[in-house]
Amino acid sequence: AAKFISMVSDPQSLKTRLCIIGSGPAAHTAAIYAARAELKPILFEGWLANDIAPGGQLTTTSEVENFPGFPNGVAGIELMDKCRAQSLRFGTQIFTETVSKVEFSTTPFKILSDSKRVLADSVIVATGAVAKRLTFPGSEVFWNRGISSCAVCDGAAPIFRNKPLAVIGGGDSAMEEATFLTKYGSKIYIIHRRNEFRASKIMQSRALSNPKIEVLWNSVVVEAYGERSLGGLKVKNVVNSEVLDLKVWGLFFAIGHEPATKFLGGQLKLDSDGYVITNPGTTQTSIKGVFAAGDVQDKKYRQAITAAGTGCMAALDAEHYLQEIG
Ligand code: FAD
C-alpha cells in the first residue's frame, strides 16, 4: 500500500480510465473510439520500440494500396500520421515513450515507462509484431526496392508482374506466400537453408505441385544486387558451397514474425509463439479489463485493416467493461 501511495503522489503518476499501448492502426483506432466515448485515453506510442518509429509497421513501407478510402494509395507514414492526428483531435493524450513494464496483478493496473507511471482501470495492448528479416550485403539497400516481408501487401505491385521472384523460408507462411505470388510472378523460387520444409504436408504439397514454383534446397542468400531496384541474388548452396546467380526482381522474407509481448513479463496468457491469447470473438485477454488488438494477437491475417478492426473491438470491449465496473 505504501508503494501505491508513493506512486500516486509522484508528480509523474497519472490516472486514467483507459491506457492504450502501441501506435499502429489497432492502437489509434482504439484511441479514436475511446476518445470519442469521452474516456480520455492515454496512449504510449513507443520510442523506437523494436526499432520501429511511432506509427508501427506501416512506417517501414512506402505505398499502402489496400486500405479502403485511398483509391490512389497512401504512403504508410502519411496514413499513420493521419491516424495519430485523428486520435489527438478527440482528446487522446499521447506519450512518445516505450512501456517497459506493466503490473496487472492488482487494479488499477500499472503501466510504466522511463518517466511515467500510469494507473489505469483498463488497458489495451496493441504493440504489434515485427516481421523477421535477414541481413546480408544489399539487404538494406534494396529494402522496399524489391525486398519485402509481406507478399500479400506488396506482391501485386507492378514491378513484380510477370517477373521471377524469390521467397525465403520453409514454414507454412513461406508456402502460402510463394503460392500467392504465383498469381503475379513468372516463376517463384523458394530458397530454404535446409533439405526439408517445416511447413505442414498439405501446404507443402500445394506449393510443390505448382509448376511455377521451384525450390532451392540447402541454400542461403549471400548478396542482393541491382541498380535502382533489386536485380538479382547470389545464392550459396551450403552443402557444396557453389554460388548461383539468381536473376529475380523481388525477394520476400517469410521467416516469421515476433509479437511485441516481452514487456508483459508473462502476465497475460500467450500462445507458444508469444502472441496474446484473446477469447474468440472478443479482445478480452486472460486478465479481465485488459484487452489486446492488432498483430500482437493475430498471426493469421496481419493487415492494417484487420488491426484497425480489432482496435475498434477493443475500445468497445473496454468501454463495456468500464461501464460494468462503474
Ligand atoms: P504495428 O503496426 O505492429 O505497431 C505497433 C507499434 O507499437 C510498434 O511498431 C511500436 O511503435 C509500438 N510499440 C511496440 N511495443 C511498444 C511498447 N512496449 N510501448 C509502446 N509502444 C510500443 N498491411 C496492409 O494492410 N497493407 C499493406 O500494404 C501493408 N504493408 C506492409 C509492409 C511492410 C513492410 C510490413 C512490415 C507490414 C505491412 N502491412 C501491411 C502489415 C501492417 O503493417 C500490420 O498488419 C499492421 O501495422 C499491424 O498493426 P498493429 O496496430 O497491430 O501494430
Side-chain angles (χ1 to χ4, degrees):
K3 191 176 165 205
F4 176 79
I5 290 163
S6 79
M7 282 170 83
V8 174
S9 59
D10 180 331
Q12 300 202 299
S13 286
L14 297 146
K15 279 178 128 181
T16 181
R17 293 290 271 160
L18 172 65
C19 180
I20 300 167
I21 312 171
S23 55
H28 281 300
T29 306
I32 292 161
Y33 273 76
R36 293 193 72 239
E38 297 183 347
L39 293 177
K40 299 190 174 62
I42 285 178
L43 182 148
F44 281 95
E45 65 180 347
W47 175 244
L48 299 184
N50 307 309
D51 288 334
I52 298 184
Q57 292 175 69
L58 287 185
T59 64
T60 68
T61 191
S62 41
E63 201 75 356
V64 179
E65 295 192 320
N66 52 12
F67 201 87
F70 298 91
N72 300 317
V74 57
I77 290 180
E78 185 190 340
L79 178 60
M80 292 320 301
D81 277 351
K82 287 191 158 134
C83 288
R84 189 179 192 277
Q86 201 168 346
S87 294
L88 286 170
R89 176 182 162 204
F90 295 111
T92 304
Q93 195 174 358
I94 298 182
F95 296 131
T96 309
E97 288 185 40
T98 299
V99 171
S100 51
K101 201 174 163 203
V102 292
E103 289 174 24
F104 289 161
S105 53
T106 51
T107 50
F109 304 118
K110 296 179 192 68
I111 299 95
L112 311 165
S113 69
D114 274 356
S115 77
K116 305 271 181 311
R117 286 164 184 209
V118 170
L119 304 179
D121 296 325
S122 62
V123 176
I124 294 175
V125 176
T127 45
V130 184
K132 291 185 196 155
R133 283 156 67 168
L134 296 175
T135 45
F136 39 80
S139 59
E140 292 302 315
V141 179
F142 298 108
W143 178 248
N144 275 334
R145 294 163 180 247
I147 302 184
S148 161
S149 59
C150 185
V152 176
C153 317
D154 299 331
I159 57 161
F160 299 134
R161 298 275 169 139
N162 299 314
K163 298 285 185 334
L165 308 171
V167 172
I168 298 182
D172 277 352
S173 55
M175 301 303 116
E176 203 170 301
E177 305 234 324
T179 307
F180 176 82
L181 287 170
T182 58
K183 282 192 255 177
Y184 308 106
S186 56
K187 168 137 195 142
I188 315 299
Y189 297 95
I190 300 180
I191 302 170
H192 187 48
R193 64 194 158 130
R194 299 210 181 87
N195 62 357
E196 60 180 354
F197 288 137
R198 189 168 36 84
S200 60
K201 289 279 169 276
I202 180 151
M203 296 295 290
Q204 285 193 41
S205 59
R206 198 173 295 159
L208 295 173
S209 64
N210 192 312
K212 278 192 179 177
I213 294 180
E214 181 181 334
V215 184
L216 302 178
W217 300 106
N218 298 314
S219 297
V220 293
V221 175
V222 289
E223 190 187 332
Y225 63 84
E227 285 176 19
R228 288 191 62 216
S229 60
L230 184 71
L233 303 169
K234 301 275 185 205
V235 181
K236 184 177 166 185
N237 183 305
V238 292
V239 176
N240 60 21
S241 295
E242 272 175 22
V243 176
L244 177 77
D245 186 10
L246 197 66
K247 298 264 183 263
V248 288
W249 293 59
L251 172 66
F252 296 84
F253 294 127
I255 50 172
H257 284 71
E258 197 161 320
T261 48
K262 287 209 180 81
F263 74 101
L264 295 170
Q267 295 176 74
L268 295 182
K269 273 200 186 129
L270 308 178
D271 73 7
S272 56
D273 294 317
Y275 288 83
V276 177
I277 296 175
T278 50
N279 291 350
T282 77
T283 59
Q284 176 65 60
T285 68
S286 54
I287 292 185
K288 229 171 170 253
V290 180
F291 305 89
D295 284 14
V296 77
Q297 53 84 59
D298 168 24
K299 57 182 171 191
K300 186 171 178 194
Y301 301 104
R302 291 194 202 112
Q303 295 298 299
I305 191 74
T306 47
T310 51
C312 159
M313 287 166 65
L316 296 178
D317 287 345
E319 197 183 338
H320 220 152
Y321 168 80
L322 291 169
Q323 267 164 9
E324 258 175 35
I325 63 165

